[in-house]
Amino acid sequence: MIIKLAKAGLAAALALTSLSAAGATTASAAGPVQGPDLAVSQSGNYPIFPIDNTNMSVTWSSAGTADVTGATHLTVELPPGVTTDGALMYSVPPDFTFTQTVSADRRRLEATFVGTRRPGRSDFMKLQLGTHGTVRPSGTIRVTASNRDDADLSDNVTSYAIGVGPIASATPAAPAVTAIDTTAGPAAGGTAVTVTGTALDNGFVLFGDRPATGSCTSTSCTVTAPAGAGSLPVTVVTPGGHADAPAPFGYLGTPPVPAAPVVTSIGTATGGPAAGGTGLTVFGSGLTYGTVAFGGVPATHVSCGPTACTAVSPAGTGTVDVTVTTPGGTSAPVTADRFTYTA
């Protein structure tokens, strides 16, 4: 597994570029999709032989009328003669988790991004590309994105033919899951599970809301179950839709309790109107999969990574504590850094 984050200064500048560029992917004659819509695009300095090192960017945008939430899976497939060693993630603040793997032949990248994105917000990763040999590279760079709650599947694939330009991409077929080989395992996770079906290409697997590690072919996904509790649906999500396994996965025992979250600061937005609607960033540690509350009232548009959460204040009065709750508990109040509602 490779995890890379860009330096904050460059990330901030490029994140702004990403937000402006995303407008082209969200506009349509009919207006935005009613509901969450994940849209993916690609751009860059594509290989021009004999230049050996070039780069490309992959952007994914929240293009509908509702937040895109949960796990988003991204794939990049490179043609023969073109390789990558991985992607740099350009987005600040780090209110998300981002993991990636690169295939042994360095021609395929898979990444999982977990975060909440309000309509109009985008993120992007940049891949350094290398060309090899004495023959001008040709073929197609194909990028896909998938999210279980996506309401529009027509903008989940983008293709670029080297030396030609962008080419049309058909919407993938909807997946079907026909079997799951293992339906129980320890709450700590680690159980190997294989689901089989059709049209599972470029998919990923969710146990409840948590993504599993592993990979999919057109007919099967072999993954490792994450930690969990109770009985959870197992879902394969692809650029063409999602499908549940015929049986849930039952966790045995009690999962280990992670460390409690710690909040150290709420940034510069320490106050806002009583009606709510103030955006702020919460900093700390152990915040992954957190929810944010203002004086015990849940915030909206919450997105959390290991060290930062973004959120929008609910309506309220007075001066209140801002806390984060995760499976490890609720953070202690930071009395020196509270949020004050104004009339």
Side-chain angles (χ1 to χ4, degrees):
M1 178 184 299
I2 303 171
I3 304 176
K4 298 180 180 178
L5 294 176
K7 293 183 179 179
L10 180 59
L14 290 173
L16 290 174
T17 303
S18 170
L19 286 170
S20 348
T25 68
T26 63
S28 70
V33 171
Q34 299 302 303
D37 178 20
L38 175 71
V40 68
S41 61
Q42 60 170 300
S43 61
N45 301 313
Y46 294 101
I48 302 175
F49 189 82
I51 298 174
D52 186 58
N53 291 302
T54 56
N55 58 73
M56 64 174 288
S57 295
V58 174
T59 301
W60 55 102
S61 308
S62 177
T65 59
D67 291 358
V68 172
T69 62
T72 291
H73 185 248
L74 304 150
T75 70
V76 180
E77 298 173 351
L78 302 174
V82 182
T83 61
T84 185
D85 289 325
L88 288 172
M89 180 69 194
Y90 291 99
S91 187
V92 291
D95 60 341
F96 57 86
T97 63
F98 179 76
T99 59
Q100 60 173 305
T101 59
V102 178
S103 62
D105 65 3
R106 298 162 59 205
R107 286 181 46 209
R108 178 179 174 84
L109 178 143
E110 294 194 49
T112 301
F113 173 94
V114 181
T116 297
R117 292 297 179 255
R118 300 173 67 179
R121 186 171 174 183
S122 298
D123 296 276
F124 79 100
M125 59 183 178
K126 192 170 186 178
L127 290 75
Q128 194 73 23
L129 304 179
T131 57
H132 310 278
T134 58
V135 178
R136 180 188 298 272
S138 62
T140 301
I141 298 175
R142 188 170 186 265
V143 176
T144 73
S146 51
N147 182 287
R148 181 179 56 191
D149 299 324
D150 196 353
D152 180 8
L153 306 177
S154 66
D155 48 12
N156 288 355
V157 182
T158 173
S159 301
Y160 184 94
I162 295 175
V164 177
I167 58 176
S169 301
T171 301
V177 179
T178 55
I180 178 171
D181 72 337
T182 305
T183 57
T191 302
V193 177
T194 298
V195 295
T196 53
T198 58
L200 307 182
D201 315 68
N202 297 309
F204 73 114
V205 179
L206 293 173
F207 285 65
D209 293 326
R210 301 295 175 91
T213 56
S215 61
C216 295
T217 67
S218 61
T219 58
S220 68
C221 300
T222 301
V223 299
T224 300
S231 179
L232 298 178
V234 177
T235 307
V236 179
V237 185
T238 76
H242 67 275
D244 289 340
F249 186 87
Y251 284 99
L252 308 174
T254 303
V257 178
V262 175
V263 171
T264 56
S265 168
I266 61 171
T268 57
T270 57
T278 301
L280 86 169
T281 302
V282 179
F283 297 98
S285 60
L287 309 182
T288 303
Y289 291 114
T291 58
V292 178
F294 286 64
V297 179
T300 59
H301 306 294
V302 176
S303 186
C304 289
T307 61
C309 297
T310 53
V312 174
S313 65
T317 58
T319 297
V320 299
D321 295 314
V322 179
T323 56
V324 176
T325 299
T326 72
T330 299
S331 63
V334 182
T335 56
D337 208 358
R338 307 178 77 200
F339 187 87
T340 300
Y341 286 99
T342 56

